[in-house]
Amino acid sequence: MMTRYQIHLDRGACEGIFACLVRDDRFVEADDGLATVEGATGEATVTVDCDDDRLADARDAAAACPVDAITVEEGKP
């Protein structure tokens, strides 16, 4: 089922633990050693708009983050 949602990653809170990378392959390691999201906009807080069937993956990545740097908002954009 296609769902509209946004993924937000607070890179200032990220500690480079990368628990998100194994839960959702859209999360990748950036050159600075912190996580980012493919296709994201922004630098300190990155945001990506999604319209797909991968909401559960995004939620799993957010739940796995030990510093709560990832949030997922349904119904956006």
Side-chain angles (χ1 to χ4, degrees):
M1 178 172 99
M2 300 294 242
T3 305
R4 295 175 65 102
Y5 59 99
Q6 285 184 324
I7 300 171
H8 304 281
L9 170 60
D10 179 353
R11 297 190 76 243
C14 179
E15 294 183 356
I17 296 167
F18 303 124
C20 55
L21 273 67
V22 298
R23 300 248 178 1
D24 187 334
D25 63 5
R26 291 174 287 193
F27 289 85
V28 294
E29 182 177 354
D31 292 340
D32 61 4
L34 300 176
T36 192
V37 185
E38 291 179 345
T41 59
E43 291 182 24
T45 300
V46 297
T47 299
V48 67
D49 296 325
C50 304
D51 188 8
D52 56 35
D53 61 353
R54 299 178 63 194
L55 176 60
D57 293 343
R59 285 184 175 157
D60 287 347
C65 181
V67 294
D68 296 324
I70 303 166
T71 57
V72 179
E73 283 186 271
E74 279 189 79
K76 301 278 184 173

